[in-house]
Amino acid sequence: MPGVSSDSARGALVPLSPESPAAAVYPLRHGLKSPISRLSISWSRGNSLRVSVFAAPSSDGSVNDSDGGKVVEVKLGGGDGEISEAHWRRMAYGSVSPFALLQSRKNAVSSLSKMSMNSSPYDGDWWDYIMEYSKDINALLVNQKSASVPVLDDPKSVITKGEEPTSLKAAWELLEMFYAEKPSHSWLPERLVDWLADYDSLFSGTHPTVHSKLVDFQKELVNLQVVEDDPKYWEVMSSALAVGWLNIVVKMLRLHGSYRLDQLSNRETENGLVEAVAVLISKMPRMRLEHEAGKLGECYKAKPDFVKAWEKWRGQINKLDSSAFWFQCAHQQTREGLRSMLQIMLGNANSLCSATYNWIELYISHFLYMRPLTVGLESMYSLAQKSIQLKPMASAHRLMGLIIGILGENTEVVLAECLKGFGPWMVAHAIELLTAGSDHAEMLLHEERQNLGGISIEELHRLVYAQVLSSFPLTWQIAPIYLISCMKHGMVLLQILLSKQPVQDNQLLLKSIEICRLYELHSVTSNIMKIAGVHHWKHGRKGSGVFWLQQARDEYRLNRIALQLFDSVGKTISDESFKQWEGLIQLLGSDSKTAGGLEFLHKYRDFKKSLRQIHDGKATDSARQAVESLISLMKNPSTPQRFWLPLLYDSLKLLNWKERPLLNVSQTNLLLNKLQELSMARLRPDFIESELPPQALNSVRLALGTNLGRAILEE
Amino acid sequence: MAFAESQNPLRVYRIPQSRYIDAVRWLSPVSPSDRFAAIAYFDADTNSPSIEIAYVDPNPQSSSPTLTPQSSWTSPSRISSLRTAHSTPQPLLAAATFSGSLHILASDLINGGVMESEATVSQLGFHSGPVSAVDLREGGTECVSVGEDGRVNLVSFVGDSSKLNYRRIFDSNGLVGYTAVKWASPSEFATGGYGFGIQWWDQRTPGGPVLQFKGNWCQGKTSGIVHSIDIHPSRKHTCLAGGSSGTVFAWDRRAAQQPIVLSGAGTGEAPNSLLSESEVWEVQYDRYTRRSNIGNISSTRILPVMICSEDGILAVIEQGEEPLELLAEPCAINSFDIDRQNPSNVICSLEWESLAILTRS
């Protein structure tokens, strides 16, 4: 992590709220009967703690099953609740590609704008890229458990249950509409109306909402014979109208008893009024691009057209409101209910306030009926403040805090709300949207800060997210994507992350090495390989150990383990065990650079092979080959000294070759010199005596002497 | 590089699993329209490994295939290698684990895919450390297991003995580690390991491998590990192997120590179009071919090969031709299997906890 300044109050990386919730208690199920003497707590993967519980040894010295200890994992916190761990991982996987694509496009755009000085980096395809990124991320947030949509349209079902909405998706859509959509802020009020229609139910958990009232009424509706007698019917309809759910209101109006065929004749006027209101509702002018098919209301793109239609529509409502037909309507609830709906449509502040249940709903109703021409964040913000004053709330939903932050154009508040409400994934990905079009936000988030150890806010949040990814065994592999986008500390943290990965399993090891290869971290690669080599070696997998050390070109360790190998060579490299060694020697190859001191083994094998062929009776040719191997072994500095005598002793047969001397004068002299060197070395205290018969040295010396004489004679 | 979409239509479906997939295999179907797959899962949330038999509905109303779990078996440890033998209606599965045990499972596909553990070897000394690969002899009653500990074990199972007996064929005492194994005939099999080495074994000649393919053909520059071997029943003289650095090569036992390199960096000869530079996790002969008759292909030519790799490539390689890329995923493809009965179907496991099902037509 970036350096934390000593003054923790100023330099806090992640804000800790002083009013943090009461301490959580997690029971430990360790099952130990004896008293516990010691506890050790460390982080396990993700949000888990690993607690090692050590039992006190029983006093009477008897041994029980529960002696010793237990290691248990404790999972902290329940996560989001809304999003399962598996869904969270799916989001993490899915957001890698959009994020990486956007980064590479950003780099391309910025290098292009450097080339041509005058053009702004944010034009052309830039907004398309941002929007594509936002849509890709948004698509990941769809909850998998979507409810099935009924095939038949139930006339009594006023609200249809689609997919279960999540706060995370709602928050992302807010950010998308305010930051990613090409700034055409005149549509924003209508976008918010749609947004609330999708996500009003999210507030039901903590606040009364129009949605929850509708759901309650839906349950009662089945048992109601005469809906228009129920005051709730009118109440709920007014509320739905206030937040602009026109289709639902019209559908509910049509449930009115006066539509029934048997009553149509004696409630003609009443029915006419109900239908007139329904028609007015479905003709409501809206200032927006277009509607989804089947949605009620009439759309106007240009402001003058809208204003004209709006005035006309209100005129019609006023006319209906002051018409004489109301006196002929005998049903009191209908009369009052319909007229209060007209008041809502006319934008009566008191009616709107009483029809809505929280400030966001009130806010939306103001957009719809009082100030449909609201433009600009400033006026939207002041309207929101007014709504909050009218409908103050004890506790704020996390989405409400986000909305206030966005409307207040306060990037820091938006970031803080994202982090507090939705976690590091949200912040790391939302920053891309926040900086998309605002130079101010870009400066704020990209500025290097002394109190953050010299990194920017953007980098900080990417690092935090990468840390979260790194702590899970299934997601650590995607952390590098985020780390390399961090200019200051990313590379170092990536190296640490890779160096900390386990090396026991080849597949995981190779995956780490692959990441090193991608980012050209050659020193990390060779370190990991060395660790793996030593690990395998220590666990008796000599072949694997040698392979990894060879790959790492670690001559030092190869030479060290060579010494250990030679110990077992001296004892076991008999003819029978040769097959075991064959594979290892092949692995070593003949390239002395990668084999280190182990090159000796290769030559030793060749020598033994030709010696064996002599035993098999294949005459002089193999003997000559054996002599050559012997000489090259003895000449080679990598041949350990303690093998000199065994090698010579093995070759007694060659030295005493009957037909003619196989070694010439200089070769014999070389061997004699080595023998002399060996005799001197025996005087040193660290000399390792070989397991040969005591007369071995003398018989070799004698054979060499004899051979020298014969060789001189021959020459 | 050729892309499959342009040449022949290919349908790809990705199915998120919410669990890591260690291995995936098709099971031979009972009827031609059925599809069953055996999937080795690892649930990271609960730390529990298991093998599940799933019914793969290729085309329900929702137009993308669905997996319906039929039965599940909880494994004592994560699965390192999974193989199936194609016998109906009770296909056998051999599963090797990271804790060094081997399990033979039988699944009854007619009665709802119930899976039962037939037998288990988990004695100390069977393998020390993980079993790195296992292969089940086709229709037979034997399987061979290898490990990095250098042991080669032959496990025979007859009838209903729940304790399996194994025979140690070879033990290199860790001097040589094995990472892949494949039967060639009832008595012969091939193993692969470090340094791109391949060993040929014949049970009739005990005491060690009868032939060795020296792995140092690439002069130590790009040495690597063999991850997977395949041998075509009609071409038993050729071992196909895939491993590190995108290397795919074939070793013709009749020929010298020179490999036929199909793909990879260590060639040095005419630059093959480089398909992948990372680990090739699995190789299989691709029995799905546009040519009507395999017999028409000359016996010196290597048959088409499918590979999957760490950098997310699933591709078909034909000797001397441009490789055909079927998938290019943003994450690793760890294993795949080609349906024996209907080779146009391929199932593969992706690093990001999902399966992909491909249908070629």
Side-chain angles (χ1 to χ4, degrees):
Chain A
M1 290 300 298
V4 185
S5 88
S6 55
D7 185 356
S8 60
R10 265 196 309 118
L13 293 180
V14 182
L16 284 174
S17 55
E19 69 272 18
S20 55
V25 177
Y26 298 94
L28 281 182
R29 291 190 185 80
H30 53 74
L32 292 180
K33 287 190 196 84
S34 30
I36 291 154
S37 69
R38 208 149 64 83
L39 269 182
S40 156
I41 303 175
S42 62
W43 281 109
S44 177
R45 63 218 162 80
N47 273 351
S48 301
L49 282 180
R50 182 176 293 139
V51 184
S52 313
V53 188
F54 299 93
S58 47
S59 49
D60 57 349
S62 63
V63 178
N64 298 317
D65 285 347
S66 59
D67 275 358
K70 273 271 171 66
V71 180
V72 285
E73 276 199 356
V74 181
K75 206 168 227 169
L76 300 181
D80 195 304
E82 194 176 80
I83 289 164
S84 68
E85 295 240 327
H87 186 196
W88 179 81
R89 288 200 302 271
R90 200 155 56 228
M91 275 162 44
Y93 298 141
S95 40
V96 169
S97 298
F99 181 82
L101 180 65
L102 187 69
Q103 296 308 317
S104 74
R105 282 172 165 174
K106 258 180 161 175
N107 293 339
V109 165
S110 75
S111 62
L112 206 72
S113 72
K114 264 177 207 151
M115 271 156 52
S116 53
M117 292 299 284
N118 49 353
S119 78
S120 152
Y122 303 123
D123 42 64
D125 301 327
W126 176 247
W127 287 107
D128 294 340
Y129 297 158
I130 289 288
M131 204 54 208
E132 188 184 330
Y133 166 76
S134 182
K135 293 273 178 224
D136 286 346
I137 299 281
N138 197 352
L140 299 169
L141 307 179
V142 177
N143 209 329
Q144 294 291 308
K145 306 171 279 182
S146 59
S148 60
V149 181
V151 186
L152 285 174
D153 190 24
D154 181 1
K156 284 215 162 184
S157 135
V158 287
I159 41 173
T160 47
K161 270 188 96 179
E163 66 185 43
E164 198 82 21
T166 62
S167 297
L168 190 59
K169 192 169 162 58
W172 188 267
E173 287 190 3
L174 274 179
L175 295 173
E176 182 177 291
M177 78 174 81
F178 281 97
Y179 298 107
E181 284 176 13
K182 206 168 188 170
S184 54
H185 279 179
S186 51
W187 314 118
L188 272 175
E190 281 284 343
R191 296 277 286 111
L192 276 175
V193 172
D194 291 350
W195 179 85
L196 187 74
D198 289 338
Y199 298 111
D200 193 40
S201 60
L202 290 172
F203 300 106
S204 304
T206 46
H207 304 87
T209 58
V210 173
H211 184 268
S212 64
K213 298 279 171 191
L214 264 172
V215 171
D216 291 346
F217 181 69
Q218 167 92 64
K219 284 178 200 143
E220 291 172 27
L221 190 59
V222 193
N223 305 320
L224 285 180
Q225 288 300 318
V226 189
V227 280
E228 61 270 27
D229 287 349
D230 191 342
K232 261 199 181 155
Y233 170 70
W234 298 103
E235 213 176 278
V236 166
M237 267 200 300
S238 296
S239 296
L241 181 64
V243 291
W245 303 351
L246 307 184
N247 284 48
I248 290 175
V249 180
V250 170
K251 190 171 183 181
M252 284 179 78
L253 274 176
R254 299 262 154 85
L255 295 175
H256 194 273
S258 65
Y259 281 98
R260 301 224 314 242
L261 285 175
D262 53 333
Q263 297 185 19
L264 204 55
S265 49
N266 32 0
R267 298 171 74 175
E268 206 175 346
T269 316
E270 191 183 343
N271 181 249
L273 286 166
V274 174
E275 184 58 24
V277 172
V279 169
L280 275 174
I281 289 172
S282 53
K283 294 262 184 246
M284 179 179 176
R286 307 283 287 266
M287 172 97 168
R288 58 188 294 153
L289 283 170
E290 56 204 358
H291 256 318
E292 266 177 68
K295 288 257 178 164
L296 297 175
E298 293 186 344
C299 306
Y300 295 90
K301 281 178 207 168
K303 197 172 156 188
D305 294 345
F306 170 76
V307 174
K308 226 156 98 189
W310 175 255
E311 292 305 329
K312 193 178 152 204
W313 182 67
R314 283 174 66 98
Q316 285 166 340
I317 297 169
N318 273 321
K319 207 170 132 195
L320 180 64
D321 195 32
S322 54
S323 95
F325 290 113
W326 296 110
F327 302 106
Q328 297 168 31
C329 177
H331 196 265
Q332 191 203 344
Q333 274 100 337
T334 303
R335 197 171 60 232
E336 285 169 3
L338 286 177
R339 294 193 77 165
S340 78
M341 284 167 81
L342 290 183
Q343 284 307 306
I344 284 174
M345 290 200 276
L346 286 171
N348 181 317
N350 292 332
S351 304
L352 290 180
C353 196
S354 58
T356 52
Y357 298 97
N358 57 50
W359 73 261
I360 292 191
E361 288 173 357
L362 179 65
Y363 184 50
I364 295 297
S365 71
H366 276 242
F367 281 143
L368 282 165
Y369 302 105
M370 284 177 80
R371 297 163 66 175
L373 294 171
T374 309
V375 176
L377 285 175
E378 214 170 310
S379 51
M380 285 175 79
Y381 182 62
S382 62
L383 184 56
Q385 292 293 355
K386 213 176 102 189
S387 307
I388 293 174
Q389 275 169 16
L390 286 168
K391 283 207 181 286
M393 278 185 312
S395 65
H397 190 273
R398 48 183 170 164
L399 283 171
M400 293 179 178
L402 184 61
I403 292 175
I404 293 293
I406 292 173
L407 293 174
E409 293 181 88
N410 192 334
T411 313
E412 278 146 313
V413 172
V414 174
L415 268 188
E417 291 290 344
C418 281
L419 183 65
K420 201 171 77 183
F422 307 97
W425 175 88
M426 181 67 165
V427 186
H429 291 91
I431 283 180
E432 301 301 325
L433 300 184
L434 295 183
T435 55
S438 156
D439 288 337
H440 170 72
E442 199 177 328
M443 260 167 47
L444 181 83
L445 298 177
H446 289 170
E447 183 199 340
E448 290 173 1
R449 278 154 201 272
Q450 217 48 56
N451 63 344
L452 296 178
I455 60 172
S456 64
I457 295 182
E458 178 184 71
E459 177 162 349
L460 169 74
H461 287 294
R462 281 185 190 159
L463 290 178
V464 170
Y465 178 56
Q467 289 285 331
V468 173
L469 290 174
S470 311
S471 68
F472 289 93
L474 292 184
T475 53
W476 77 265
Q477 283 181 60
I478 54 185
I481 306 276
Y482 294 89
L483 286 175
I484 52 143
S485 70
C486 299
M487 302 307 289
K488 284 252 161 145
H489 293 298
M491 232 21 180
V492 179
L493 283 170
L494 177 57
Q495 292 181 12
I496 295 172
L497 170 67
L498 287 165
S499 308
K500 272 173 24 186
Q501 292 309 311
V503 298
Q504 291 90 329
D505 175 42
N506 264 343
Q507 203 185 2
L508 285 179
L509 175 67
L510 289 166
K511 281 175 192 287
S512 302
I513 292 174
E514 169 74 7
I515 293 173
C516 293
R517 188 179 69 82
L518 284 178
Y519 300 116
E520 295 174 345
L521 298 169
H522 304 301
S523 65
V524 181
T525 309
S526 83
N527 266 335
I528 297 177
M529 285 172 168
K530 283 177 196 173
I531 296 169
V534 171
H535 174 85
H536 283 299
W537 176 264
K538 283 201 313 207
H539 285 79
R541 297 184 287 272
K542 301 187 184 69
S544 318
V546 168
F547 172 80
W548 285 118
L549 290 175
Q550 260 186 314
Q551 292 286 301
R553 298 179 192 274
D554 185 354
E555 280 189 55
Y556 172 72
R557 279 181 190 78
L558 279 172
N559 286 330
R560 285 290 298 275
I561 65 173
L563 293 178
Q564 289 185 37
L565 262 185
F566 295 153
D567 284 342
S568 50
V569 169
K571 285 167 209 144
T572 67
I573 205 158
S574 59
D575 290 348
E576 300 82 56
S577 63
F578 226 86
K579 287 220 155 157
Q580 289 184 353
W581 285 90
E582 192 73 11
L584 181 66
I585 289 163
Q586 274 192 13
L587 183 64
L588 294 172
S590 48
D591 186 3
S592 65
K593 266 228 166 106
T594 53
L598 295 170
E599 182 201 5
F600 159 72
L601 274 180
H602 201 270
K603 296 210 163 86
Y604 187 59
R605 193 264 319 249
D606 291 344
F607 171 65
K608 280 268 187 180
K609 230 183 202 167
S610 26
L611 265 190
R612 199 163 34 165
Q613 278 166 353
I614 300 168
H615 284 294
D616 295 346
K618 283 179 202 161
T620 323
D621 276 353
S622 349
R624 286 209 166 279
Q625 229 164 25
V627 168
E628 264 168 44
S629 302
L630 175 68
I631 296 298
S632 89
L633 268 174
M634 294 303 276
K635 268 185 180 164
N636 195 319
S638 74
T639 304
Q641 199 177 45
R642 62 186 148 133
F643 278 95
W644 292 359
L645 190 57
L647 276 170
L648 290 170
Y649 190 66
D650 279 350
S651 353
L652 271 181
K653 197 177 205 176
L654 300 173
L655 302 178
N656 296 326
W657 200 253
K658 284 205 182 71
E659 292 149 39
R660 44 175 294 238
L662 292 174
L663 289 87
N664 63 27
V665 179
S666 66
Q667 285 172 329
T668 321
N669 275 332
L670 172 86
L671 296 187
L672 276 169
N673 282 339
K674 288 276 177 190
L675 206 61
Q676 189 60 28
E677 216 177 299
L678 195 63
S679 312
M680 306 279 278
R682 289 179 85 170
L683 302 173
R684 290 213 301 269
D686 60 342
F687 182 79
I688 306 163
E689 198 72 58
S690 53
E691 296 162 353
L692 286 175
Q695 78 280 11
L697 183 66
N698 284 331
S699 43
V700 169
R701 189 171 281 148
L702 183 64
L704 279 175
T706 318
N707 191 76
L708 183 63
R710 288 169 71 194
I712 290 173
L713 278 179
E714 186 146 298
E715 281 171 21
Chain B
M1 195 164 292
F3 275 87
E5 277 82 354
S6 59
Q7 296 191 3
N8 50 348
L10 174 77
R11 275 171 296 158
V12 184
Y13 305 101
R14 292 171 189 83
I15 311 170
Q17 297 295 297
S18 307
R19 281 176 289 176
Y20 193 81
I21 298 146
D22 283 326
V24 62
R25 298 279 166 222
W26 288 112
L27 292 175
S28 51
V30 186
S31 74
S33 60
D34 281 348
R35 293 278 170 280
F36 287 95
I39 306 156
Y41 287 111
F42 174 66
D43 190 331
D45 293 337
T46 58
N47 242 333
S48 56
S50 63
I51 295 179
E52 280 186 17
I53 303 286
Y55 175 68
V56 182
D57 194 348
N59 210 3
Q61 284 91 346
S62 57
S63 80
S64 79
T66 54
L67 287 182
T68 318
Q70 303 284 308
S71 61
S72 165
W73 173 79
T74 307
S75 167
S77 162
R78 276 181 80 165
I79 304 298
S80 57
S81 177
L82 179 70
R83 291 294 171 99
T84 52
H86 293 258
S87 55
T88 46
Q90 286 201 312
L92 283 177
L93 288 89
T97 66
F98 279 99
S99 63
S101 60
L102 178 76
H103 307 269
I104 305 295
L105 311 167
S107 169
D108 192 341
L109 295 184
I110 290 179
N111 299 319
V114 180
M115 186 163 34
E116 278 178 357
S117 172
E118 290 278 298
T120 294
V121 206
S122 56
Q123 290 103 307
L124 273 177
F126 174 59
H127 276 285
S128 94
V131 183
S132 50
V134 67
D135 195 26
L136 199 55
R137 215 173 74 200
E138 197 53 51
T141 52
E142 271 182 325
C143 65
V144 58
S145 69
V146 296
E148 280 180 59
D149 55 355
R151 290 176 190 167
V152 180
N153 290 321
L154 191 73
V155 181
S156 358
F157 43 97
V158 195
D160 50 10
S161 60
S162 63
K163 273 276 175 190
L164 289 182
N165 287 318
Y166 71 92
R167 187 157 63 83
R168 174 78 38 84
I169 293 205
F170 188 68
D171 188 351
S172 80
N173 287 316
L175 289 172
V176 183
Y178 304 103
T179 52
V181 64
K182 179 78 189 169
W183 284 102
S185 73
S187 60
E188 294 161 297
F189 59 88
T191 59
Y194 288 95
F196 288 143
I198 298 180
Q199 299 81 29
W200 188 266
W201 307 73
D202 192 333
Q203 289 188 63
R204 293 163 296 195
T205 319
V210 286
L211 261 179
Q212 299 219 30
F213 174 66
K214 283 188 187 126
N216 49 11
W217 44 270
C218 47
Q219 267 74 49
K221 264 174 273 171
T222 52
S223 186
I225 307 172
V226 171
H227 296 306
S228 170
I229 296 180
D230 199 12
I231 296 167
H232 199 278
S234 72
R235 308 265 172 102
K236 289 188 177 162
H237 46 79
T238 306
C239 284
L240 173 71
S244 309
S245 314
T247 307
V248 181
F249 66 95
W251 169 46
D252 192 335
R253 276 191 294 132
R254 303 166 306 180
Q257 288 283 329
Q258 199 55 38
I260 305 158
V261 180
L262 295 172
S263 172
T267 53
E269 296 163 20
N272 295 35
S273 50
L274 201 57
L275 189 59
S276 160
E277 281 183 81
S278 55
E279 308 299 314
V280 171
W281 291 123
E282 185 144 17
V283 289
Q284 275 186 31
Y285 281 110
D286 187 11
R287 287 164 177 83
Y288 177 78
T289 171
R290 279 153 284 159
R291 296 195 188 88
S292 51
N293 194 355
I294 286 182
N296 289 347
I297 304 175
S298 133
S299 75
T300 52
R301 226 177 118 85
I302 307 298
L303 298 171
V305 173
M306 188 181 284
I307 66 141
C308 69
S309 75
E310 173 67 21
D311 50 4
I313 304 288
L314 183 77
V316 178
I317 306 174
E318 277 194 70
Q319 200 180 0
E321 283 181 32
E322 284 276 284
L324 179 73
E325 209 169 276
L326 300 176
L327 274 184
E329 292 292 305
C331 63
I333 302 177
N334 291 323
S335 69
F336 73 91
D337 197 24
I338 304 172
D339 193 344
R340 282 287 181 90
Q341 265 69 25
N342 187 358
S344 67
N345 290 337
V346 182
I347 190 165
C348 45
S349 70
L350 308 180
E351 178 75 19
W352 290 348
E353 299 176 68
S354 58
L355 283 171
I357 294 178
L358 284 84
T359 313
R360 297 178 276 180
S361 56

